[in-house]
């Protein structure tokens, strides 16, 4: 029997891979939006009103097949991608509601047909609390 090799897809939404925050709807010096681009336990904490959004530049148009979101208190989230040179026209990738985890980390993986994106926009439409935190947004694909 041949075993299938497990191919690890790189995370294209890492600061170390060239990803950058283009815009975020809220900013706190202690919990800045750049935290979603770093592989640690720090978070981007929103200011308590909805919707809240963050737009990430992946640096170059890249095929992605999976997005993994690690967050706290997120209820409804919309994730969109844009292939163009500017983050102006987005296509829906995921529009979903997460179950309540009472302040615990929510880790949700969304797999979809291959989509080429230069930009990702994550919009938290509502939360299970007044404030939500996003720890990491992973865009898994090929560079």
């Amino acid at each position: 029997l041949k075993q299938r090799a497990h191919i690890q897809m790189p995370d294209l939404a890492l600061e170390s891979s060239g990803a950058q925050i283009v815009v975020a709807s809220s900013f706190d010096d202690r919990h800045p939006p750049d935290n979603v681009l770093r592989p640690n336990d720090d978070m981007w904490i929103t200011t308590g009103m909805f919707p809240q959004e963050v737009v990430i530049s992946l640096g170059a148009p890249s095929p992605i097949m999976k997005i993994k979101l690690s967050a706290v208190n997120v209820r409804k989230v919309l994730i969109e991608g844009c292939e163009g040179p500017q983050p102006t026209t987005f296509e829906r990738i995921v529009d979903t509601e997460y179950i309540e985890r009472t302040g615990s980390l929510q880790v949700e993986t969304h797999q979809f047909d291959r989509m080429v994106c230069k930009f990702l926009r994550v919009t938290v439409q509502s939360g299970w609390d007044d404030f939500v935190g996003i720890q990491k947004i992973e865009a898994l694909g090929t560079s």
Side-chain angles (χ1 to χ4, degrees), residues 24-26 31-33 35-36 43-46 52-54 132-134:
S25 57
S26 63
H31 307 284
N35 283 343
V36 303
M43 292 190 183
W44 169 49
I45 305 289
T46 66
Q52 293 285 332
E53 73 175 29
V54 62
V132 302
I134 297 181

Side-chain angles (χ1 to χ4, degrees), residues 5 27 64 112 114 134 143:
F27 185 86
I64 59 174
F112 46 89
R114 178 182 175 272
I134 297 181
S143 51

Side-chain angles (χ1 to χ4, degrees), residues 25-26 44 46-53 122-126:
S25 57
S26 63
W44 169 49
T46 66
T47 57
M49 297 182 64
F50 298 100
Q52 293 285 332
E53 73 175 29
V122 177
T123 305
V124 178
Q125 298 170 319
S126 64

